[in-house]
Amino acid sequence: MFNTALFDLDGVVLDTESQYTVCWDRIGKVYKPDIPHFAHLIKGQTLNQIFNRYFKDEEEAQHEIENQLIEFEKSMDYAYIPGVVAFITDLKRYQVNMAIVTSSNQQKMTNVYQRHPEFEVFFDVILTSEDFKRSKPDPDCYLTAAAHFSVSHNQCVVFEDSINGLKAGNAAQMKVCGLATTNSVEVIEPLSDMVMNDFVGVSYEKLSAMI
């Protein structure tokens, strides 16, 4: 039985990854046309990490991209992944520790809270890119979350959809539940202890029996 659930945000709790793919695909074609599948390469990384890796010393491009993202995120559809609210409610019944562990920043989260005033009540802590030094696939973010609850890695289950996120959960030596919302089952299965399409019908007892 696990006592701590660590959720990525986009593609796990919120159905936003497809929207980000469109946005970053457009950015990639304009600024990095020589890098194929740019939108998929940067998934799970913080904006600072993306800038440092792909736009170092390109201050004008960084400024333009940041402004584009700010405007894009204001108008995004922040719908919940099917079944996730019921699953979170069930975890609360069992007093499971719950955290959001996301590469998104606080500015993005402000948009989420405006659309979903209940969001902050769902989780015990919400960790964003400002809360850890190294982004996914480094395990720092998930280890930080475990430390917040004073629990060991084997008490945690990570819920992830991106390759970088799945790698981060594995590097933290935690159980990893892969959501096939962004990548196919075949792609995420080797990096997951179990795979789900969404949270419909999933409960604490069912998950504990499977993972």
Side-chain angles (χ1 to χ4, degrees):
M1 291 290 200
F2 64 96
N3 64 17
T4 303
L6 307 178
F7 295 85
D8 177 43
L9 180 66
D10 297 294
V12 174
V13 176
L14 298 178
D15 189 10
T16 48
E17 275 299 347
S18 60
Q19 298 171 72
Y20 273 117
T21 297
V22 172
C23 181
W24 277 107
D25 187 53
R26 183 169 61 245
I27 290 171
K29 287 178 180 177
V30 172
Y31 294 95
K32 297 295 173 182
D34 57 321
I35 302 178
H37 311 298
F38 187 75
H40 287 280
L41 287 177
I42 56 87
K43 285 187 185 296
Q45 299 177 31
T46 66
L47 187 58
N48 284 338
Q49 187 179 32
I50 295 167
F51 284 166
N52 289 335
R53 183 168 297 179
Y54 298 104
F55 297 92
K56 195 169 185 178
D57 301 323
E58 298 181 42
E59 292 185 10
E60 184 176 353
Q62 291 183 23
H63 181 70
E64 292 173 354
I65 293 168
E66 187 169 15
N67 285 338
Q68 289 177 38
L69 285 171
I70 289 172
E71 291 305 311
F72 182 77
E73 289 173 346
K74 286 179 181 178
S75 61
M76 282 178 62
D77 178 16
Y78 293 100
Y80 284 115
I81 292 290
V84 71
V85 173
F87 179 58
I88 290 168
T89 302
D90 188 58
L91 293 183
K92 280 186 175 293
R93 289 177 53 236
Y94 289 89
Q95 299 182 320
V96 174
N97 302 316
M98 286 186 283
I100 287 289
V101 184
T102 177
S103 299
S104 297
N105 57 29
Q106 286 287 356
Q107 187 170 20
K108 149 73 173 295
M109 295 309 301
T110 299
N111 295 320
V112 175
Y113 303 148
Q114 288 175 347
R115 300 292 182 87
H116 296 290
E118 75 286 356
F119 195 88
E120 290 181 274
V121 179
F122 284 163
F123 302 95
D124 300 296
V125 64
I126 296 174
L127 299 178
T128 61
S129 61
E130 293 88 351
D131 295 309
F132 41 86
K133 294 179 180 179
R134 296 176 297 278
S135 188
K136 305 167 186 178
D138 191 279
D140 182 41
C141 56
Y142 285 118
L143 295 176
T144 299
H148 173 84
F149 294 114
S150 299
V151 297
S152 64
H153 62 88
N154 57 13
Q155 294 172 287
C156 301
V157 175
V158 167
F159 298 89
E160 271 285 0
D161 65 309
S162 72
I163 300 303
N164 284 329
L166 294 166
K167 287 180 178 179
N170 281 298
Q173 299 182 353
M174 299 174 179
K175 291 291 186 181
V176 178
C177 183
L179 274 292
T181 53
T182 303
N183 297 286
S184 67
V185 171
E186 291 75 20
V187 169
I188 67 174
E189 198 166 31
L191 297 170
S192 307
D193 292 291
M194 66 170 292
V195 175
M196 305 186 305
N197 290 320
D198 52 36
F199 292 95
V200 174
V202 180
S203 67
Y204 174 74
E205 290 188 349
K206 287 181 180 178
L207 187 64
S208 296
M210 292 186 291
I211 205 159

